[in-house]
Amino acid sequence: MSDLKKYRNRFVTVLAVSLVLLMATSSEVLNLNPQVAGPAPGPPLNVVDGAGFIAVVSMFTSAVSLIGLLLTTGIAWRKERRESRTAKIDNEKKELEVQLLRLNLEQKRQENTTSIGDSTDPP
């Protein structure tokens, strides 16, 4: 596996994990899951602060991994385009070489037929 594909797979994995973590912590920060046990004096500050910190870190991780994913994908596309151009040029070069070899072979055959015709005639 090429290095670009390996890095791209890592960026996708990190992006998926960080987005899942972001969704899990954002529900805690936004308090989308209220307590059913009755009115509480409020969540402890360390839980909200910890969840907020995790949300910020996972957002930062998501952004960085998304940028990395886009960059490696762009680099891979450029590399594939360059390799396809090189392969096309190589194919054209080989076709020209084959045509040249055929021309040389045809010339050798003509020389052989004329030399054979000349050697059969007595002087």
Side-chain angles (χ1 to χ4, degrees):
M1 182 183 280
S2 72
D3 288 338
L4 286 176
K5 288 183 181 180
K6 182 173 58 174
Y7 289 130
R8 197 176 344 169
N9 288 339
R10 286 181 185 170
F11 282 127
V12 167
T13 304
V14 169
L15 180 64
V17 168
S18 64
L19 287 177
V20 168
L21 186 62
L22 178 63
M23 284 189 271
T25 57
S26 65
S27 67
E28 183 68 31
V29 170
L30 297 175
N31 199 12
L32 296 177
N33 299 324
Q35 300 286 336
V36 183
L45 289 178
N46 60 0
V47 172
V48 173
D49 291 340
F53 177 73
I54 291 172
V56 169
V57 168
S58 67
M59 266 200 325
F60 178 73
T61 305
S62 297
V64 169
S65 62
L66 180 63
I67 290 169
L69 175 67
L70 294 175
L71 287 176
T72 56
T73 302
I75 290 170
W77 283 345
R78 288 178 59 195
K79 181 181 177 185
E80 289 171 4
R81 191 171 46 226
R82 183 174 54 243
E83 288 175 351
S84 69
R85 273 195 314 249
T86 304
K88 184 178 178 182
I89 290 171
D90 286 343
N91 284 342
E92 290 175 1
K93 182 179 175 182
K94 287 178 183 178
E95 287 176 8
L96 290 174
E97 289 175 358
V98 166
Q99 289 177 359
L100 181 63
L101 290 173
R102 284 183 181 160
L103 181 62
N104 288 342
L105 181 64
E106 192 63 36
Q107 287 175 353
K108 296 285 185 183
R109 284 183 183 167
Q110 288 177 358
E111 288 175 6
N112 286 341
T113 56
T114 56
S115 65
I116 292 173
D118 292 341
S119 64
T120 57
D121 293 336

